[in-house]
Short mmCIF file of all heavy atoms in Angstrom, two decimals:
data_model
loop_
_atom_site.label_atom_id
_atom_site.label_comp_id
_atom_site.label_asym_id
_atom_site.label_seq_id
_atom_site.Cartn_x
_atom_site.Cartn_y
_atom_site.Cartn_z
N MET A 1 22.26 19.30 -9.15
CA MET A 1 22.75 18.81 -7.87
C MET A 1 22.97 20.05 -6.90
O MET A 1 23.55 20.99 -7.31
CB MET A 1 24.01 18.04 -8.04
CG MET A 1 24.47 17.34 -6.73
SD MET A 1 26.04 16.46 -6.90
CE MET A 1 25.73 15.34 -8.32
N LYS A 2 22.35 19.92 -5.75
CA LYS A 2 22.58 21.05 -4.79
C LYS A 2 23.84 20.84 -3.99
O LYS A 2 24.47 19.81 -4.02
CB LYS A 2 21.31 21.12 -3.89
CG LYS A 2 20.03 21.51 -4.63
CD LYS A 2 18.89 21.69 -3.72
CE LYS A 2 17.68 22.01 -4.50
NZ LYS A 2 17.75 23.29 -5.17
N TYR A 3 24.15 21.92 -3.23
CA TYR A 3 25.42 21.96 -2.51
C TYR A 3 25.60 20.80 -1.56
O TYR A 3 26.61 20.08 -1.57
CB TYR A 3 25.56 23.31 -1.81
CG TYR A 3 26.88 23.52 -1.12
CD1 TYR A 3 27.98 24.06 -1.83
CD2 TYR A 3 27.10 23.20 0.22
CE1 TYR A 3 29.20 24.30 -1.25
CE2 TYR A 3 28.29 23.38 0.84
CZ TYR A 3 29.40 23.90 0.13
OH TYR A 3 30.57 24.12 0.75
N LEU A 4 24.55 20.58 -0.67
CA LEU A 4 24.71 19.49 0.35
C LEU A 4 24.71 18.15 -0.28
O LEU A 4 25.41 17.23 0.15
CB LEU A 4 23.64 19.64 1.42
CG LEU A 4 23.78 20.85 2.35
CD1 LEU A 4 22.50 21.02 3.22
CD2 LEU A 4 25.06 20.69 3.24
N GLN A 5 23.96 18.05 -1.32
CA GLN A 5 23.89 16.71 -2.04
C GLN A 5 25.31 16.47 -2.64
O GLN A 5 25.77 15.34 -2.61
CB GLN A 5 22.87 16.74 -3.13
CG GLN A 5 22.67 15.36 -3.82
CD GLN A 5 21.75 15.41 -4.97
OE1 GLN A 5 21.14 16.49 -5.30
NE2 GLN A 5 21.56 14.34 -5.73
N GLN A 7 28.14 17.60 -1.49
CA GLN A 7 28.97 17.21 -0.41
C GLN A 7 28.83 15.78 -0.02
O GLN A 7 29.78 15.07 0.22
CB GLN A 7 28.67 18.07 0.85
CG GLN A 7 29.48 19.30 1.00
CD GLN A 7 29.31 19.96 2.34
OE1 GLN A 7 28.30 19.68 3.11
NE2 GLN A 7 30.18 20.83 2.73
N ARG A 8 27.56 15.37 0.09
CA ARG A 8 27.35 13.97 0.48
C ARG A 8 27.82 12.98 -0.58
O ARG A 8 28.30 11.90 -0.26
CB ARG A 8 25.80 13.73 0.77
CG ARG A 8 25.32 14.37 2.05
CD ARG A 8 23.86 13.99 2.35
NE ARG A 8 22.91 14.46 1.42
CZ ARG A 8 22.23 15.59 1.62
NH1 ARG A 8 22.25 16.20 2.78
NH2 ARG A 8 21.37 16.04 0.72
N GLN A 29 38.10 33.86 -10.13
CA GLN A 29 38.00 32.91 -9.01
C GLN A 29 36.96 31.89 -9.31
O GLN A 29 35.87 32.08 -9.50
CB GLN A 29 37.55 33.73 -7.80
CG GLN A 29 38.49 34.84 -7.40
CD GLN A 29 39.71 34.32 -6.69
OE1 GLN A 29 39.94 33.14 -6.49
NE2 GLN A 29 40.65 35.23 -6.37
N GLU A 31 36.95 28.69 -7.54
CA GLU A 31 36.93 27.62 -6.51
C GLU A 31 35.57 27.17 -6.14
O GLU A 31 35.38 26.06 -5.60
CB GLU A 31 37.72 28.14 -5.24
CG GLU A 31 39.20 28.20 -5.33
CD GLU A 31 39.71 29.46 -6.08
OE1 GLU A 31 38.83 30.26 -6.54
OE2 GLU A 31 40.88 29.67 -6.18
N ASN A 32 34.50 27.99 -6.32
CA ASN A 32 33.20 27.56 -6.03
C ASN A 32 32.65 26.45 -6.92
O ASN A 32 31.55 25.91 -6.70
CB ASN A 32 32.21 28.76 -6.04
CG ASN A 32 32.03 29.35 -7.42
OD1 ASN A 32 32.96 29.37 -8.19
ND2 ASN A 32 30.87 29.95 -7.67
N TYR A 36 31.27 20.83 -6.92
CA TYR A 36 30.27 20.24 -7.93
C TYR A 36 31.07 19.37 -8.93
O TYR A 36 30.57 18.35 -9.32
CB TYR A 36 29.53 21.36 -8.57
CG TYR A 36 28.69 22.17 -7.64
CD1 TYR A 36 29.16 23.37 -7.14
CD2 TYR A 36 27.50 21.68 -7.26
CE1 TYR A 36 28.36 24.10 -6.24
CE2 TYR A 36 26.70 22.41 -6.31
CZ TYR A 36 27.16 23.64 -5.87
OH TYR A 36 26.40 24.38 -4.94
N GLU A 159 27.82 35.99 -13.46
CA GLU A 159 27.21 36.91 -12.42
C GLU A 159 28.10 38.13 -12.32
O GLU A 159 29.14 38.15 -11.71
CB GLU A 159 27.26 36.07 -11.12
CG GLU A 159 26.62 36.81 -9.98
CD GLU A 159 25.10 36.62 -9.93
OE1 GLU A 159 24.61 36.00 -10.88
OE2 GLU A 159 24.49 37.15 -9.01
N PRO A 161 27.66 41.21 -10.75
CA PRO A 161 28.01 41.88 -9.41
C PRO A 161 29.05 41.09 -8.65
O PRO A 161 30.00 41.67 -8.09
CB PRO A 161 26.64 41.80 -8.70
CG PRO A 161 25.60 41.72 -9.75
CD PRO A 161 26.20 40.97 -10.88
N SER A 162 28.91 39.79 -8.65
CA SER A 162 29.93 38.96 -7.95
C SER A 162 31.25 39.08 -8.62
O SER A 162 32.33 39.21 -7.93
CB SER A 162 29.37 37.54 -7.95
OG SER A 162 30.45 36.64 -7.60
N ASN A 165 32.95 42.43 -7.72
CA ASN A 165 33.29 42.63 -6.33
C ASN A 165 34.27 41.62 -5.79
O ASN A 165 35.05 41.91 -4.86
CB ASN A 165 32.00 42.69 -5.50
CG ASN A 165 31.32 44.07 -5.65
OD1 ASN A 165 31.68 45.02 -5.17
ND2 ASN A 165 30.25 44.01 -6.42
N THR A 166 34.12 40.43 -6.24
CA THR A 166 35.00 39.34 -5.66
C THR A 166 35.79 38.60 -6.71
O THR A 166 36.61 37.77 -6.33
CB THR A 166 34.05 38.37 -4.86
OG1 THR A 166 33.21 37.64 -5.83
CG2 THR A 166 33.25 39.01 -3.85
N VAL A 168 34.56 36.35 -8.58
CA VAL A 168 33.87 35.13 -8.83
C VAL A 168 32.87 35.29 -9.97
O VAL A 168 31.89 36.02 -9.89
CB VAL A 168 33.07 34.60 -7.58
CG1 VAL A 168 32.31 33.31 -7.83
CG2 VAL A 168 34.09 34.36 -6.45
N ILE A 170 31.05 32.78 -11.77
CA ILE A 170 29.93 31.89 -11.90
C ILE A 170 29.01 31.99 -10.70
O ILE A 170 29.48 31.76 -9.57
CB ILE A 170 30.40 30.43 -12.04
CG1 ILE A 170 31.47 30.34 -13.18
CG2 ILE A 170 29.26 29.53 -12.34
CD1 ILE A 170 30.96 30.64 -14.57
N ALA A 171 27.76 32.29 -10.91
CA ALA A 171 26.79 32.30 -9.82
C ALA A 171 26.74 30.93 -9.09
O ALA A 171 26.80 29.87 -9.71
CB ALA A 171 25.45 32.74 -10.31
N GLY A 172 26.51 31.00 -7.77
CA GLY A 172 26.36 29.74 -7.06
C GLY A 172 25.28 28.81 -7.57
O GLY A 172 25.47 27.61 -7.62
N ARG A 173 24.17 29.44 -8.01
CA ARG A 173 23.06 28.58 -8.41
C ARG A 173 23.39 28.00 -9.80
O ARG A 173 22.61 27.07 -10.27
CB ARG A 173 21.74 29.38 -8.42
CG ARG A 173 21.72 30.57 -9.38
CD ARG A 173 20.43 31.41 -9.20
NE ARG A 173 20.33 32.38 -10.25
CZ ARG A 173 20.98 33.54 -10.31
NH1 ARG A 173 21.88 33.79 -9.31
NH2 ARG A 173 20.84 34.38 -11.27
N SER A 174 24.35 28.44 -10.48
CA SER A 174 24.70 27.88 -11.84
C SER A 174 25.94 26.98 -11.73
O SER A 174 26.37 26.43 -12.75
CB SER A 174 24.98 28.97 -12.80
OG SER A 174 23.94 29.86 -12.93
N ALA A 175 26.55 26.88 -10.57
CA ALA A 175 27.84 26.23 -10.48
C ALA A 175 27.74 24.72 -10.86
O ALA A 175 28.71 24.22 -11.56
CB ALA A 175 28.35 26.35 -8.99
N ARG A 537 17.22 7.99 14.04
CA ARG A 537 16.98 9.29 14.80
C ARG A 537 15.57 9.19 15.18
O ARG A 537 14.64 8.92 14.31
CB ARG A 537 17.25 10.40 13.79
CG ARG A 537 17.12 11.80 14.48
CD ARG A 537 17.17 12.85 13.44
NE ARG A 537 18.47 13.02 12.81
CZ ARG A 537 19.45 13.83 13.21
NH1 ARG A 537 19.13 14.64 14.30
NH2 ARG A 537 20.58 13.93 12.68
N ASP B 7 19.44 23.35 10.18
CA ASP B 7 20.38 22.34 10.13
C ASP B 7 21.18 22.32 8.84
O ASP B 7 22.41 22.13 8.83
CB ASP B 7 19.71 20.92 10.30
CG ASP B 7 19.20 20.74 11.74
OD1 ASP B 7 19.59 21.55 12.66
OD2 ASP B 7 18.36 19.80 11.92
N ASP B 8 20.51 22.52 7.76
CA ASP B 8 21.16 22.54 6.44
C ASP B 8 22.15 23.69 6.33
O ASP B 8 23.26 23.50 5.92
CB ASP B 8 20.18 22.66 5.34
CG ASP B 8 19.40 21.35 5.14
OD1 ASP B 8 19.82 20.29 5.67
OD2 ASP B 8 18.38 21.29 4.34
N ILE B 9 21.72 24.83 6.78
CA ILE B 9 22.56 26.01 6.72
C ILE B 9 23.81 25.82 7.68
O ILE B 9 24.93 26.22 7.33
CB ILE B 9 21.80 27.31 7.01
CG1 ILE B 9 20.73 27.54 5.92
CG2 ILE B 9 22.72 28.56 7.06
CD1 ILE B 9 19.80 28.71 6.15
N ALA B 11 25.12 22.98 8.40
CA ALA B 11 26.01 22.07 7.72
C ALA B 11 26.90 22.80 6.72
O ALA B 11 28.07 22.46 6.55
CB ALA B 11 25.19 20.96 7.17
N ILE B 12 26.26 23.71 5.93
CA ILE B 12 27.01 24.43 4.98
C ILE B 12 28.08 25.29 5.56
O ILE B 12 29.30 25.25 5.22
CB ILE B 12 26.01 25.29 4.09
CG1 ILE B 12 25.15 24.32 3.21
CG2 ILE B 12 26.81 26.25 3.16
CD1 ILE B 12 24.02 25.10 2.56
N SER B 15 30.92 23.53 7.46
CA SER B 15 31.92 22.89 6.63
C SER B 15 32.86 23.91 5.98
O SER B 15 34.03 23.68 5.82
CB SER B 15 31.19 22.03 5.51
OG SER B 15 30.65 22.95 4.56
N ILE B 16 32.35 25.12 5.75
CA ILE B 16 33.19 26.15 5.16
C ILE B 16 34.20 26.74 6.17
O ILE B 16 35.35 26.95 5.79
CB ILE B 16 32.33 27.27 4.51
CG1 ILE B 16 31.64 26.68 3.27
CG2 ILE B 16 33.14 28.51 4.11
CD1 ILE B 16 30.52 27.53 2.65
N MET B 36 37.52 34.91 1.96
CA MET B 36 37.34 33.72 1.02
C MET B 36 36.24 32.81 1.45
O MET B 36 35.42 32.30 0.64
CB MET B 36 38.68 32.93 0.93
CG MET B 36 39.80 33.64 0.28
SD MET B 36 39.43 34.07 -1.43
CE MET B 36 39.47 32.44 -2.20
N VAL B 39 32.96 34.47 0.57
CA VAL B 39 32.60 34.24 -0.85
C VAL B 39 32.04 32.83 -1.07
O VAL B 39 31.09 32.55 -1.76
CB VAL B 39 33.82 34.50 -1.72
CG1 VAL B 39 33.61 34.05 -3.19
CG2 VAL B 39 34.20 35.97 -1.64
N ALA B 40 32.76 31.83 -0.41
CA ALA B 40 32.35 30.44 -0.55
C ALA B 40 30.93 30.24 0.02
O ALA B 40 30.14 29.50 -0.57
CB ALA B 40 33.36 29.51 0.09
N VAL B 42 28.45 32.42 0.37
CA VAL B 42 27.43 33.00 -0.49
C VAL B 42 27.11 32.05 -1.71
O VAL B 42 26.02 31.76 -2.03
CB VAL B 42 27.86 34.41 -1.01
CG1 VAL B 42 26.93 34.98 -2.07
CG2 VAL B 42 27.90 35.39 0.16
N SER B 43 28.25 31.59 -2.33
CA SER B 43 28.05 30.68 -3.47
C SER B 43 27.29 29.44 -3.05
O SER B 43 26.40 28.88 -3.71
CB SER B 43 29.44 30.37 -4.05
OG SER B 43 29.25 29.47 -5.19
N ALA B 44 27.75 28.88 -1.93
CA ALA B 44 27.05 27.61 -1.44
C ALA B 44 25.57 27.82 -1.09
O ALA B 44 24.73 26.98 -1.46
CB ALA B 44 27.79 27.16 -0.22
N LEU B 45 25.24 28.93 -0.44
CA LEU B 45 23.82 29.18 -0.17
C LEU B 45 23.04 29.31 -1.47
O LEU B 45 21.93 28.84 -1.59
CB LEU B 45 23.68 30.44 0.74
CG LEU B 45 24.27 30.37 2.14
CD1 LEU B 45 24.10 31.66 2.88
CD2 LEU B 45 23.45 29.23 2.96
N GLU B 46 23.59 30.04 -2.41
CA GLU B 46 22.95 30.21 -3.68
C GLU B 46 22.75 28.85 -4.43
O GLU B 46 21.72 28.61 -5.03
CB GLU B 46 23.73 31.15 -4.60
CG GLU B 46 23.75 32.59 -4.18
CD GLU B 46 24.50 33.51 -5.14
OE1 GLU B 46 25.41 33.01 -5.84
OE2 GLU B 46 24.21 34.69 -5.10
N GLY B 47 23.79 27.97 -4.28
CA GLY B 47 23.66 26.67 -4.90
C GLY B 47 22.71 25.79 -4.27
O GLY B 47 22.03 24.94 -4.85
N GLU B 48 22.62 25.84 -2.92
CA GLU B 48 21.74 24.93 -2.17
C GLU B 48 20.28 25.34 -2.34
O GLU B 48 19.36 24.56 -2.46
CB GLU B 48 22.11 24.97 -0.67
CG GLU B 48 21.25 24.08 0.19
CD GLU B 48 21.38 22.57 -0.16
OE1 GLU B 48 22.42 22.19 -0.75
OE2 GLU B 48 20.48 21.78 0.13
N PHE B 49 20.01 26.72 -2.27
CA PHE B 49 18.66 27.18 -2.20
C PHE B 49 18.21 27.86 -3.51
O PHE B 49 17.13 28.46 -3.58
CB PHE B 49 18.52 28.12 -1.05
CG PHE B 49 18.74 27.45 0.24
CD1 PHE B 49 19.97 27.68 0.96
CD2 PHE B 49 17.88 26.50 0.78
CE1 PHE B 49 20.21 27.06 2.20
CE2 PHE B 49 18.16 25.86 2.03
CZ PHE B 49 19.37 26.15 2.71
N ASP B 50 19.01 27.77 -4.54
CA ASP B 50 18.73 28.39 -5.81
C ASP B 50 18.35 29.89 -5.72
O ASP B 50 17.30 30.34 -6.12
CB ASP B 50 17.56 27.60 -6.49
CG ASP B 50 17.53 27.87 -7.95
OD1 ASP B 50 18.51 28.40 -8.51
OD2 ASP B 50 16.39 27.69 -8.59
N LEU B 51 19.28 30.59 -5.08
CA LEU B 51 19.07 32.06 -4.84
C LEU B 51 20.03 32.88 -5.58
O LEU B 51 21.10 32.39 -5.96
CB LEU B 51 19.22 32.33 -3.33
CG LEU B 51 18.50 31.52 -2.32
CD1 LEU B 51 18.97 31.85 -0.85
CD2 LEU B 51 16.99 31.70 -2.42
N ALA B 52 19.71 34.14 -5.76
CA ALA B 52 20.72 35.11 -6.22
C ALA B 52 20.75 36.21 -5.14
O ALA B 52 19.93 37.16 -5.07
CB ALA B 52 20.21 35.73 -7.53
N LEU B 53 21.74 36.11 -4.28
CA LEU B 53 21.84 37.05 -3.11
C LEU B 53 22.46 38.37 -3.62
O LEU B 53 23.37 38.36 -4.37
CB LEU B 53 22.70 36.40 -2.00
CG LEU B 53 22.24 35.08 -1.48
CD1 LEU B 53 23.24 34.58 -0.37
CD2 LEU B 53 20.84 35.27 -0.80
N LEU B 55 24.75 41.63 -3.10
CA LEU B 55 26.08 41.78 -2.55
C LEU B 55 25.94 42.39 -1.13
O LEU B 55 26.59 41.94 -0.19
CB LEU B 55 27.01 42.57 -3.41
CG LEU B 55 28.43 42.50 -2.98
CD1 LEU B 55 29.00 41.19 -3.40
CD2 LEU B 55 29.19 43.64 -3.60
N MET B 59 27.14 40.55 2.30
CA MET B 59 28.24 40.99 3.18
C MET B 59 27.80 41.25 4.65
O MET B 59 28.62 41.39 5.49
CB MET B 59 28.79 42.34 2.66
CG MET B 59 29.56 42.15 1.28
SD MET B 59 30.92 41.02 1.48
CE MET B 59 30.46 39.71 0.39
#
Side-chain angles (χ1 to χ4, degrees):
Chain A
M1 190 183 302
K2 293 184 182 297
Y3 184 87
L4 287 173
Q5 186 187 356
Q7 263 191 345
R8 287 189 290 262
Q29 299 285 358
E31 286 80 356
N32 64 329
Y36 298 97
E159 183 83 356
S162 163
N165 285 284
T166 65
V168 175
I170 307 296
R173 62 186 189 284
S174 305
R537 184 190 291 267
Chain B
D7 288 348
D8 286 349
I9 295 174
I12 291 169
S15 72
I16 289 170
M36 292 299 289
V39 169
V42 171
S43 179
L45 293 176
E46 289 182 337
E48 180 65 24
F49 300 105
D50 196 20
L51 308 173
L53 301 177
L55 194 73
M59 290 303 116

